[in-house]
Amino acid sequence: MHVNAKTITAVILFFILSGCSLTPGSHYQGVESVEQLADFDHELSKVNLQLIDSALLNQLNTVNKKPSLGGSVAVNTANYEYLLGVGDVLSITVWNHPELTLPTPVQRSTAFDGYRVQADGTITYAYAPNVVAAGRTVSAVRNELISRLNRVIEAPQIDLKVLAYKSQKAYVTGEVQKPGIYPITEIPLTLIDAINQAGGLTEQANWHSATFTRGNETEHINLDDFYSHGDISQNRLLQHGDIVHVARNNKQRVYVLGDVHQAGSVAIDRHGLNLAQALTNQGGLNERSADANGIFVLRKRDLETDGIIADVYQLHAKNVAAYVLAEQFQLQANDIIYVTSAPLTRWNRVISLLLPSLVSIDSTVTVN
């Protein structure tokens, strides 16, 4: 079932408005200490509430800090050798023996007149029938041809090369300019090479969610770590049958709700999205009724820890310095930003009603 962002937003707004109208209480002025959490409803025990300040930003930056590139391992192509396969077309030339070389018609590709590796993995040449080629290198096949022809030609000099690579291929799918099938050749083909050959990523591509599939195993590749941070450990040497898939960016969104000029969703692009950008994108706070101390970011945890299912971050935005903090607070996919009104009745009850929406958004995005 497909559910779009507008539907998600409508559901969340229903929860918020219901909570505000049905629950009496006093105006919330902000949490200044952990001890005050004891006065909140039971629902608040499910969240970890923190103020957005320099200490929190330092903590989050430490957690999200990119690994040192000194530990990155590049793809090793030094010992790469192409192994021939069924369907490859070879050109074989014996120097000073033109009678053993196939002429190339002007009107046809040389691939039609080369020596194709047959279904049994062999090629047949003059004085050298049934030479095993599949699974062997070009040099190995050349050496065998030299050995075979040496019985009838003195010191044969043989040039062997691949005219057409038909046996092995990798697939690039999803949000690239030219999705398709790309051959594995004598030149090592890496994951980044394949994406570049496919024209690079589209505007709708999710730089954080490319997948690399080999057989029954799938690995997530963070392309942004490579392109923005030079993390060469994100690259892979492709083999026959490998699949590189670049997902769309429609799952990378945050939701801005509450007392803002325009509630809705905001896409996270490859450069990221901070709290200040998300609020500005939606027209900012409603100056007449919004509580600048009541800007909250709700973030569902991937793994529940000690009964905590979500983190709630609060920004006190009644001074200019707070906007500096907002610019440094990086948002994550499916974050909910909620701006309270002044006065708001029982903000904690609203937060508790928003918690199920975090799960709803997560499951809905997964279905899309």
Side-chain angles (χ1 to χ4, degrees), residues 22-335:
L22 296 176
T23 309
S26 58
H27 175 49
Y28 168 66
Q29 297 296 337
V31 174
E32 304 296 343
S33 66
V34 176
E35 287 75 9
Q36 286 180 278
L37 291 175
D39 298 329
F40 296 158
D41 291 340
H42 172 68
E43 288 85 353
L44 268 296
S45 64
K46 300 178 183 178
V47 303
N48 177 36
L49 178 63
Q50 301 179 72
L51 291 175
I52 298 177
D53 55 18
S54 57
L56 174 66
L57 292 176
N58 288 335
Q59 175 187 339
L60 294 177
N61 288 337
T62 300
V63 172
N64 297 324
K65 186 177 181 181
K66 299 298 179 183
S68 171
L69 297 186
S72 298
V73 179
V75 171
N76 182 15
T77 60
N79 299 320
Y80 174 81
E81 287 189 290
Y82 178 78
L83 299 181
L84 296 168
V86 174
D88 286 340
V89 181
L90 308 179
S91 167
I92 304 174
T93 301
V94 182
W95 291 99
N96 295 323
H97 290 274
E99 74 280 4
L100 298 180
T101 302
L102 290 176
T104 302
V106 177
Q107 301 299 324
R108 291 199 304 180
S109 166
T110 54
F112 286 97
D113 298 282
Y115 296 88
R116 186 178 301 273
V117 180
Q118 302 302 312
D120 62 357
T122 67
I123 60 171
T124 293
Y125 190 69
Y127 310 114
N130 301 321
V131 175
V132 176
R136 304 176 72 185
T137 65
V138 169
S139 60
V141 176
R142 180 190 297 113
N143 290 337
E144 181 167 344
L145 285 173
I146 292 174
S147 177
R148 296 271 197 102
L149 267 63
N150 196 43
R151 293 175 294 185
V152 293
I153 299 175
E154 182 178 357
Q157 299 181 47
I158 298 177
D159 179 36
L160 187 151
K161 60 185 178 182
V162 182
L163 291 179
Y165 296 91
K166 299 291 186 179
S167 67
Q168 301 165 60
K169 55 188 72 73
Y171 305 86
V172 183
T173 63
E175 291 300 322
V176 291
Q177 300 292 344
K178 298 181 293 183
I181 302 172
Y182 292 86
I184 305 293
T185 70
E186 63 191 7
I187 300 174
L189 180 67
T190 68
L191 183 148
I192 299 299
D193 293 334
I195 290 177
N196 290 338
Q197 288 185 25
L201 306 184
T202 68
E203 289 294 328
Q204 294 76 34
N206 177 8
W207 291 73
H208 304 282
S209 187
T211 56
F212 167 61
T213 302
R214 175 172 293 167
N216 296 323
E217 297 184 359
T218 297
E219 178 184 6
H220 288 273
I221 303 294
N222 192 326
L223 296 177
D224 192 47
D225 281 354
F226 176 85
Y227 286 110
S228 297
H229 305 284
D231 185 359
I232 54 180
S233 70
Q234 298 297 312
N235 208 1
R236 300 289 180 271
L237 181 62
L238 299 186
Q239 299 177 7
H240 176 55
D242 286 350
I243 302 172
V244 179
H245 178 74
V246 180
R248 289 182 65 87
N249 196 38
N250 58 343
K251 297 181 181 179
Q252 298 289 310
R253 310 188 73 84
V254 302
Y255 303 89
V256 183
L257 307 171
D259 208 348
V260 291
H261 284 287
Q262 181 182 357
S265 62
V266 184
I268 303 176
D269 62 22
R270 62 166 298 198
H271 304 292
L273 180 71
N274 61 51
L275 179 55
Q277 290 171 328
L279 291 172
T280 302
N281 188 82
Q282 300 307 109
L285 281 60
N286 190 329
E287 295 83 359
R288 295 185 178 182
S289 57
D291 183 1
N293 273 340
I295 301 175
F296 297 93
V297 178
L298 287 80
R299 178 174 299 165
K300 179 178 177 290
R301 289 192 176 183
D302 293 332
L303 297 175
E304 183 176 332
T305 306
D306 298 329
I308 303 297
I309 63 174
D311 293 297
V312 177
Y313 305 100
Q314 183 204 3
L315 178 69
H316 283 179
K318 285 191 173 179
N319 58 72
V320 177
Y323 287 96
V324 177
L325 298 175
E327 288 181 343
Q328 297 178 13
F329 187 88
Q330 294 297 316
L331 298 170
Q332 297 180 9
N334 299 328
D335 280 354

